[in-house]
Amino acid sequence: MGKGKYEESSSDEEVNSSSDVVEASSDEEVESSSDEVEALSDDVESSEDESSSDNEKVEESDSSEDEVAPRNTVGDIPLVEWHKDEEHIGYDIKGRKIKKQPRKDKLASFIEGADDPKNWRKIYDEYNDEEIELTKDEIKIIQRVISGRTPHAEVNPYEDYVDWFEYEDKGHPLSNAPEPKRRFIPSKWEQKRVANLVRKIRAGLIKVSDQNKEEEHNVYSLWTDDTDSVENKKRGGYVPAPKPKLPGHEEAYNPPVEYIPTAEEINSYELMYEEDRPKFIPRRYLNYRSVPAYDKGVKESFDRCLDQYLCPRTRKKRINIDPESLKPKLPSRKDLRPYPTTCYLEYRGHMGPVNCISVDPSGQWLASGSTDGTARVWEIETGRCLKIWEVGEVARQICWNPSPDRPILAVVLEYDVLLLNSGMGDIDIQTKMKELLHISEPGATEDAGDSKSAVTWIQHEKHDGIRMKHFKAVSSIEWHFKGDYFTTVVPSGDSKAILLHQLSKKHSETPFRKLGIPVTAVFHPSKKKFFVATKKFVHVYDLSKVEKIQKLETGVREISSISIHPGGENIIVGSKEGKMCWFDLELSTRPYKTLKVHSKDITRVTFHRTYPLFASASDDCTAYVFHSTVYSDLNQNPLIVPLEILRGHKPEHGRGVLDCKYHPRQPWLFTAGADSIIKLYCH
Amino acid sequence: MEPNGSGSDASRQVQARFVTRLPPPLRVPPASMAVPSHLTRFGLSDIVNLLLKNSDPDHENQPFDFLIDGELVRMQLDEFLIAKGISAEKVLELEYVKAVAPRKQEDPRPHDDWVSAVDGSNSSFILTGCYDTFVRIWKSGDVSECTHVLEGHTGAITSAKFIDIRGVENEQNFHLVTGSKDRLLRLWKCDAAKRRGDPIRVGAYKILAGHTSSVQSVSVNPSREMICSGSWDCSIKLWDVKESEEDGDGTTISLKKRKVNSKTKESVDARLEGAATSTLVGHTQCVSVATWPDPDVLYSASWDHSVRQWDVPSGKETWTMVCGKALNCLDIGGEGSALVAAGGSDPVLRIWDPRKPGSLAPIFQYSSHSSWISACKWHPRSWFHLLSASYDGKVMLWDLRTAWPLAVMESHQDKVLCADWWKDDSVVSGGADSKLCITSGIEIQ
């Protein structure tokens, strides 16, 4: 093959010829071909020389000379556009311009075409600016290519098999065995299986889904860092080593001037701590050649390796939560108005710490008891002291009778409870009160049997009231809401600790068995229930049956006071460690909420009778005002919002605010301080 | 021309013309002049005084207040113009009025206890009620003279009012009413003619009983025939005092005689007691004030945070306004005698206009006090001026045309419990320091 073939198929297309060249290289005549190729190249050169010498001749040559390198050497440029207005169409290999042929006008070319029967075989070669007439063979090749056959009719695609190898059974097929029958018969098992599948698909047992198609599109990025991928996280987290910092401009051999520290700066580095000192000080070198070897290079790479090896790169589970979002959504304080905020009135006059205050049910008068041995009644509106009783002992508790037509004050002294006529109300009420507070014979309690030793009712001559002598110190007193019964608590361990008294009959009894040392006791505001607070628990009693219903576990060290929500289903408990517990009796026997607000003992917690407010007073000289909405819907828990910290009292002997009470009708809070002042905070 | 004009500041000037409604001796020529824009009302006042002195050498300097577009100037002129968006290019019209400020503090009238009620509706006498259960009548004059002491109440007096005064100078007959914390109202009569050295002791000629709790306020209607009273029992009671007045004279004297001779009080009381003609029910808490400015309309304020307007003939509420605070005082006055001023359990004095439809927001709020407001009174003749008294011991004068108090009177050492205008140019106030303070010389045109 080689040159001979080359010459034979000179009219062939270039594609074909190149394939022939490849073929030639794979031939056995490889050795000889190299010489021939050289000869060929010489031949080409010589022909080019020829073509360059007689340019005019070449122009007239037919397309069979395609193999000759193209005359025009301008390359693959948009000829029509660039040489539209030029005289030439390019340059030949010697750099001379190739002139454009004179353009025929359309009419002449048409007439010429109509006359010439070979015109349909002519095509215009734009690159060389010439018309080429295709030969019949070429037309045939084109037709064959168009019809999808091999270009040359003489090429046989199905040539006979030539067995190049030598083996025994040469001359026979690979095996002489006859074709097995299964090759011709469809598989029975396959058929069964297909039938089975078809049946299942019809029955809906197998669902043909498009999932398989989607899986085909499961593309993944080959080059991305997959440390954050789900797969990696599932496998337990490969953590890539942190990447070292890339060198910057300052590490260049000739960095810009602004990177180079001055001598002062270098000196100041010396004063720094080892850790703070910069690791690298930029320097200038004249050329790259003079840059010395980096002396810390080995150490640093060793350190880095050590780092990567020893550093425990485990993934820490960290939850990224905005702390603000964890706060409960509370309504704005502005929406919860009115509530007490500012102190406008002060009630001055007591000479010692004011232990207790109480507001009369109409909201006109305020009663207070103090360590200075007096009980006083104040006019709320003006702050005037109206009445003073010299009781002679420390008044520990004071309590107005909640009934408006019984303006009686109960004052707790050390062992005694005084029932005093406050002197308010009109003449009818006054005469009734005088009757009520009169004991004809001191032995009225004799029929009480057991309680005889517990309480004695005596007429108090000096203040025109009743004196009830208890066998021990009394700690608290609370009226029943109807104003006839009241309870006193004597903190002792026996059954006589809680006493119930009836004012109209001047009668006392002790209905409860012993239950630790009670601290305080209160009546339910509407039902026949009774709450007794011991140091750690609150016991709820049914008064009609005299039996325990509930026992509330407060979880505090020592209860100091409790208050019942006017609805009766919620209570708050204040403790001596500054904690306040809110109990929802319907919900649980454990606190619904425990509020740690005060830094010292809570002295009093109290609910407002009509507004959704409660308050706590403490020895840290503050009183807190809270909002509390109790919903009638049992599914909704009470809403508690702290509203205001009321300050203003001064500490006295380590004690602060000793009592706080709400005004029965206004959103006002009274606080009694150890500084012997009572303050009124208004909205 | 300018008293303190200097240097660069003087370069900024506004053209102004001074106008006034004051009588001629206090008028300045109406020509416009350049006034430094940094002047305050004091500087402007100096200019006016200087102008007046030019025309009248005998003129005595006195302070003036300046109004621009019906608003009192309370800052520098340029600041005021910027704040109100008034162009400084035009000729500014500055209306000047006499500055409203107390000029004289009279000797306080001492009492035995807190002074809780005061009435200055009479020009020659002041009526005060006191926590020592006595009502006193003071004659005007430099010497503190108590002419009458009305005794009979058993509780602190909360309110005292002149019903009317008959007769001429020396033969005056007082007719008055008092309310007290002893749940009773008492009607009194006495005449000013009989003057001796000691105050005359007078007893009530009639007792009006009916309230079941402390009477907080008493008010007389414009025709002087009816009175109303508000009480802690949440009700307002109306009482007819006309008929009692007719059979009055003899009774008073006889009571006085009887009181002197024998104390058969019980039998007297039965004859003397009067009953309420009607009761207005609606408030849910203590009615702290009831005033009766119009024959048919009665206003009341209460601790239940509401101000109510009542139609007297039908006894029905016609207007209710809830303000959010417990109210202690209320007065009707101002423009067309229709504005409601009220103060209560916070330091803000609020003024409402009940004629304004659709809105119950106060049209003015004055909050210079620092404690509860105990009294507020409109000036009897001016539409713009009112006074307020507070538990912080201050009495303040207000002009609706500015947000700052015109004057602050700090004559009390303790809470001020009551205050009233007296003789149009004085303020009388009583407080918890047991004094009745009289501040006079307040000129209001």
Side-chain angles (χ1 to χ4, degrees):
Chain A
M1 299 191 62
K3 200 182 174 187
K5 170 115 190 193
Y6 192 73
E7 279 165 352
E8 274 168 24
S9 60
S10 58
S11 64
D12 282 356
E13 280 209 347
E14 206 172 36
V15 179
N16 204 13
S17 65
S18 70
S19 73
D20 286 345
V21 171
V22 172
E23 229 176 280
S25 62
S26 65
D27 273 350
E28 59 262 54
E29 302 167 6
V30 173
E31 293 98 325
S32 64
S33 71
S34 63
D35 303 333
E36 282 166 4
V37 166
E38 269 175 32
L40 173 68
S41 62
D42 291 339
D43 200 349
V44 167
E45 263 175 33
S46 63
S47 72
E48 269 172 4
D49 287 340
E50 272 172 22
S51 65
S52 60
S53 60
D54 43 8
N55 208 356
E56 284 72 31
K57 261 188 190 171
V58 172
E59 279 179 2
E60 286 160 11
S61 71
D62 64 6
S63 64
S64 63
E65 288 186 8
D66 265 358
E67 283 74 28
V68 179
R71 289 184 302 136
N72 198 349
T73 56
V74 286
D76 189 13
I77 58 165
L79 265 177
V80 181
E81 227 172 276
W82 290 9
H83 290 256
K84 203 164 54 182
D85 303 326
E86 303 288 336
E87 284 290 298
H88 60 279
I89 55 157
Y91 306 90
D92 64 9
I93 201 154
K94 299 276 180 184
R96 283 172 299 200
K97 281 182 181 172
I98 304 170
K99 289 277 178 342
K100 266 185 190 169
Q101 285 189 346
R103 195 151 300 277
K104 291 172 190 165
D105 63 333
K106 284 243 169 114
L107 188 65
S109 64
F110 178 72
I111 292 167
E112 193 185 314
D115 290 345
D116 189 2
K118 290 177 188 169
N119 187 43
W120 65 275
R121 286 196 292 187
K122 283 180 183 168
I123 54 168
Y124 173 68
D125 178 10
E126 201 177 49
Y127 189 71
N128 290 320
D129 192 25
E130 62 184 4
E131 258 186 0
I132 301 161
E133 193 186 315
L134 299 176
T135 60
K136 278 185 181 170
D137 288 341
E138 281 167 339
I139 298 287
K140 262 182 202 162
I141 287 171
I142 290 169
Q143 278 170 345
R144 287 182 71 90
V145 167
I146 289 169
S147 61
R149 288 172 285 167
T150 51
H152 298 280
E154 61 268 30
V155 174
N156 181 14
Y158 308 109
E159 275 188 68
D160 284 342
Y161 177 73
V162 182
D163 205 350
W164 301 95
F165 301 99
E166 291 293 328
Y167 53 96
E168 274 178 32
D169 293 338
K170 198 181 170 197
H172 293 286
L174 284 175
S175 165
N176 274 335
E179 287 266 339
K181 199 180 175 184
R182 61 175 180 273
R183 299 257 168 95
F184 311 103
I185 297 170
S187 160
K188 186 184 166 191
W189 299 108
E190 237 169 47
Q191 186 196 7
K192 275 190 173 176
R193 190 168 159 72
V194 168
N196 195 16
L197 285 172
V198 167
R199 188 178 54 80
K200 279 185 175 170
I201 288 168
R202 285 202 181 134
L205 296 172
I206 295 175
K207 272 181 188 150
V208 185
S209 64
D210 295 335
Q211 273 179 359
N212 294 335
K213 283 181 187 170
E214 282 170 17
E215 276 172 15
E216 282 171 18
H217 293 285
N218 188 11
V219 284
Y220 57 91
S221 180
L222 187 61
W223 301 110
T224 48
D225 184 10
D226 59 354
T227 47
D228 288 335
S229 69
V230 185
E231 277 290 303
N232 184 32
K233 275 174 190 166
K234 257 186 214 164
R235 262 184 269 130
Y238 153 74
V239 185
K243 291 201 167 61
K245 186 182 153 264
L246 292 172
H249 290 297
E250 70 274 15
E251 270 135 345
Y253 79 95
N254 188 11
V257 193
E258 61 263 30
Y259 285 106
I260 293 167
T262 59
E264 290 166 22
E265 277 174 328
I266 291 171
N267 287 340
S268 72
Y269 293 154
E270 294 297 314
L271 299 174
M272 284 182 176
Y273 286 107
E274 184 77 42
E275 292 91 43
D276 300 338
R277 215 173 285 165
K279 299 275 177 301
F280 175 77
I281 298 168
R283 283 186 61 193
R284 294 194 90 144
Y285 299 100
L286 274 181
N287 44 39
Y288 200 60
R289 231 174 28 240
S290 49
V291 179
Y294 185 51
D295 53 346
K296 293 179 204 156
V298 176
K299 187 178 182 300
E300 274 182 12
S301 52
F302 172 73
D303 281 347
R304 183 166 161 76
C305 289
L306 207 60
D307 260 3
Q308 294 189 13
Y309 167 59
L310 290 178
C311 166
R313 266 189 291 282
T314 50
R315 203 173 284 276
K316 273 183 191 161
K317 293 252 171 169
R318 183 179 292 162
I319 310 167
N320 227 348
I321 298 176
D322 181 19
E324 287 295 314
S325 69
L326 291 176
K327 281 189 191 168
K329 291 265 178 304
L330 290 180
S332 158
R333 290 203 305 171
K334 277 183 190 166
D335 304 337
L336 302 176
R337 283 175 182 165
Y339 55 87
T341 51
T342 331
C343 174
Y344 287 125
L345 270 177
E346 287 180 355
Y347 303 85
R348 287 166 185 270
H350 276 297
M351 312 300 281
V354 185
N355 285 329
C356 48
I357 47 176
S358 176
V359 190
D360 104 280
S362 71
Q364 198 177 359
W365 322 108
L366 171 73
S368 65
S370 164
T371 317
D372 62 2
T374 59
R376 293 176 191 233
V377 171
W378 309 80
E379 192 176 65
I380 288 171
E381 192 191 348
T382 53
R384 187 185 166 90
C385 179
L386 292 175
K387 226 169 189 165
I388 303 174
W389 286 279
E390 296 280 348
V391 290
E393 286 174 69
V394 176
R396 296 188 180 280
Q397 284 283 339
I398 197 158
C399 208
W400 280 94
N401 191 314
S403 163
D405 50 353
R406 281 186 176 176
I408 294 173
L409 270 174
V411 186
V412 174
L413 308 177
E414 187 72 33
Y415 287 92
D416 302 346
V417 171
L418 290 184
L419 297 179
L420 299 170
N421 182 1
S422 70
M424 307 303 164
D426 55 24
I427 301 152
D428 295 349
I429 291 177
Q430 283 303 312
T431 48
K432 272 187 202 162
M433 285 309 101
K434 278 193 182 128
E435 281 171 29
L436 194 61
L437 293 177
H438 183 72
I439 297 172
S440 47
E441 70 272 25
T445 52
E446 272 176 27
D447 56 336
D450 256 5
S451 63
K452 185 189 168 190
S453 54
V455 183
T456 2
W457 295 64
I458 315 165
Q459 184 76 33
H460 196 291
E461 295 301 333
K462 186 182 164 196
H463 299 303
D464 198 18
I466 294 174
R467 183 170 157 216
M468 298 165 64
K469 250 185 121 156
H470 286 67
F471 68 104
K472 261 189 167 178
V474 183
S475 72
S476 93
I477 185 162
E478 178 82 20
W479 287 91
H480 185 250
F481 64 97
K482 279 181 182 157
D484 194 20
Y485 289 93
F486 62 101
T487 175
T488 51
V489 174
V490 180
S492 69
D494 55 15
S495 63
K496 288 187 283 186
I498 297 155
L499 300 123
L500 279 179
H501 314 276
Q502 192 179 6
L503 177 61
S504 53
K505 291 183 182 164
K506 292 25 171 228
H507 170 75
S508 306
E509 54 182 315
T510 55
F512 301 108
R513 277 175 284 117
K514 75 170 192 183
L515 31 69
I517 297 171
V519 177
T520 179
V522 284
F523 288 98
H524 190 280
S526 53
K527 288 181 193 159
K528 285 186 174 173
K529 278 188 186 174
F530 191 69
F531 301 83
V532 179
T534 58
K535 282 200 169 171
K536 283 181 181 170
F537 302 101
V538 178
H539 305 267
V540 186
Y541 285 92
D542 188 330
L543 270 185
S544 51
K545 294 174 196 160
V546 198
E547 63 179 20
K548 201 193 279 183
I549 314 170
Q550 263 176 313
K551 183 182 176 189
L552 308 178
E553 295 166 42
T554 59
V556 297
R557 241 183 292 135
E558 198 174 346
I559 294 174
S560 62
S561 85
I562 71 173
S563 179
I564 318 289
H565 187 268
E569 291 307 323
N570 295 278
I571 69 171
I572 42 173
V573 173
S575 78
K576 288 207 169 169
E577 70 226 65
K579 273 188 194 163
M580 199 163 32
C581 306
W582 176 291
F583 287 93
D584 192 336
L585 295 185
E586 303 271 311
L587 195 71
S588 152
T589 56
R590 293 185 170 277
Y592 157 62
K593 275 230 162 97
T594 303
L595 306 165
K596 174 89 183 81
V597 283
H598 290 287
S599 55
K600 281 187 177 177
D601 302 10
I602 289 179
T603 49
R604 173 75 68 179
V605 286
T606 181
F607 271 108
H608 197 286
R609 245 178 53 181
T610 48
Y611 286 89
L613 295 170
F614 68 96
S616 64
S618 159
D619 274 340
D620 60 4
C621 291
T622 61
Y624 279 66
V625 180
F626 298 87
H627 172 91
S628 62
T629 312
V630 174
Y631 300 96
S632 50
D633 179 10
L634 289 175
N635 289 329
Q636 210 161 358
N637 284 330
L639 173 77
I640 301 168
V641 186
L643 289 175
E644 192 79 28
I645 305 171
L646 305 177
R647 296 191 169 87
H649 284 289
K650 290 186 192 74
E652 192 92 9
H653 304 298
R655 307 220 63 190
V657 186
L658 301 182
D659 200 355
C660 70
K661 285 278 158 64
Y662 274 110
H663 189 280
R665 294 179 179 188
Q666 305 281 354
W668 300 345
L669 185 74
F670 296 92
T671 55
D675 50 358
S676 66
I677 300 172
I678 305 164
K679 283 177 187 268
L680 167 58
Y681 291 88
C682 300
H683 63 291
Chain B
M1 180 111 310
E2 63 196 45
N4 48 1
S6 60
S8 59
D9 287 344
S11 61
R12 307 189 66 198
Q13 292 184 325
V14 278
Q15 287 292 317
R17 186 166 61 223
F18 294 98
V19 293
T20 186
R21 289 179 210 160
L22 292 170
L26 290 173
R27 289 217 175 132
V28 297
S32 70
M33 62 182 75
V35 180
S37 63
H38 68 275
L39 286 188
T40 60
R41 60 185 168 130
F42 303 109
L44 290 168
S45 194
D46 284 343
I47 294 177
V48 172
N49 277 319
L50 219 60
L51 288 172
L52 290 171
K53 214 155 209 171
N54 284 347
S55 56
D56 174 19
D58 298 337
H59 171 75
E60 268 186 32
N61 279 1
Q62 59 170 304
F64 291 101
D65 241 331
F66 295 86
L67 287 157
I68 295 174
D69 291 350
E71 196 142 350
L72 286 172
V73 180
R74 276 289 177 275
M75 42 182 120
Q76 286 192 7
L77 211 50
D78 47 357
E79 284 173 17
F80 184 88
L81 293 183
I82 290 164
K84 301 290 168 196
I86 302 169
S87 161
E89 306 288 320
K90 285 185 279 183
V91 177
L92 204 59
E93 215 159 80
L94 284 163
E95 186 185 345
Y96 62 93
V97 292
K98 281 185 184 173
V100 174
R103 286 171 177 77
K104 201 175 147 200
Q105 185 75 42
E106 289 182 20
D107 288 336
R109 310 284 200 266
H111 285 70
D112 296 338
D113 211 331
W114 294 10
V115 182
S116 52
V118 68
D119 184 13
S121 59
N122 186 349
S123 59
S124 46
F125 293 96
I126 304 168
L127 184 64
T128 61
C130 185
Y131 262 79
D132 62 359
T133 74
F134 298 128
V135 182
R136 292 178 177 81
I137 299 174
W138 302 81
K139 195 171 165 47
S140 70
D142 292 335
V143 197
S144 59
E145 282 186 291
C146 177
T147 58
H148 297 75
V149 174
L150 317 183
E151 49 186 33
H153 277 297
T154 54
I157 312 294
T158 53
S159 180
K161 288 273 155 54
F162 287 112
I163 298 174
D164 62 358
I165 294 148
R166 298 264 168 88
V168 285
E169 184 59 38
N170 271 328
E171 305 244 338
Q172 281 175 329
N173 281 320
F174 303 118
H175 186 201
L176 31 102
V177 61
T178 57
S180 161
K181 292 209 193 263
D182 63 3
R183 296 172 288 278
L184 301 174
L185 289 97
R186 281 171 196 248
L187 293 171
W188 317 77
K189 257 177 198 175
C190 50
D191 55 88
K194 297 166 190 167
R195 281 291 301 118
R196 269 173 246 122
D198 289 335
I200 306 162
R201 303 202 165 253
V202 186
Y205 76 89
K206 192 152 186 172
I207 296 166
L208 305 178
H211 281 299
T212 55
S213 193
S214 312
V215 177
Q216 285 296 100
S217 84
V218 173
S219 183
V220 186
N221 83 333
S223 65
R224 315 255 153 213
E225 287 165 359
M226 301 272 286
I227 56 169
C228 67
S229 61
S231 158
W232 258 99
D233 60 9
C234 313
S235 69
I236 303 162
K237 284 186 193 291
L238 308 183
W239 318 79
D240 200 341
V241 291
K242 193 173 176 239
E243 58 202 56
S244 58
E245 197 185 346
E246 282 159 2
D247 62 316
D249 274 327
T251 329
T252 319
I253 293 157
S254 67
L255 169 69
K256 271 162 75 184
K257 276 178 187 165
R258 212 168 294 156
K259 275 193 84 176
V260 175
N261 297 335
S262 61
K263 305 262 179 182
T264 54
K265 220 178 169 183
E266 270 73 29
S267 62
V268 179
D269 274 351
R271 263 206 299 137
L272 295 179
E273 269 190 23
T277 53
S278 60
T279 306
L280 307 179
V281 183
H283 281 296
T284 55
Q285 285 190 52
C286 154
V287 181
S288 47
V289 213
T291 60
W292 200 336
D294 201 286
D296 287 343
V297 183
L298 193 146
Y299 288 88
S300 63
S302 161
W303 274 32
D304 65 5
H305 307 173
S306 69
V307 175
R308 293 175 201 229
Q309 188 187 48
W310 307 82
D311 180 44
V312 177
S314 64
K316 294 236 173 71
E317 275 179 50
T318 50
W319 180 72
T320 308
M321 194 270 313
V322 180
C323 90
K325 309 278 169 177
L327 294 168
N328 284 332
C329 58
L330 172 86
D331 199 23
I332 313 296
E335 187 188 343
S337 290
L339 301 187
V340 179
S345 63
D346 68 339
V348 185
L349 175 68
R350 296 181 176 84
I351 294 165
W352 291 271
D353 192 348
R355 300 166 301 181
K356 210 171 168 184
S359 163
L360 292 177
I363 55 170
F364 295 108
Q365 297 203 44
Y366 299 116
S367 44
S368 293
H369 282 296
S370 58
S371 187
W372 283 19
I373 291 176
S374 53
C376 63
K377 284 276 179 192
W378 288 93
H379 190 269
R381 288 191 293 108
S382 168
W383 278 9
F384 301 113
H385 296 89
L386 72 158
L387 67 81
S388 66
S390 165
Y391 282 178
D392 60 5
K394 290 173 189 161
V395 180
M396 291 192 186
L397 287 181
W398 299 93
D399 190 316
L400 289 193
R401 296 169 291 188
T402 184
W404 286 272
L406 289 180
V408 180
M409 289 166 265
E410 294 178 78
S411 41
H412 287 281
Q413 280 94 46
D414 205 340
K415 302 181 192 99
V416 186
L417 300 175
C418 55
D420 198 3
W421 294 95
W422 185 47
K423 293 198 293 194
D424 291 349
D425 68 339
S426 308
V427 170
V428 287
S429 57
D433 53 357
S434 308
K435 282 194 293 191
L436 175 74
C437 287
I438 304 171
T439 313
S440 58
I442 304 162
E443 289 184 52
I444 293 170
Q445 298 94 32

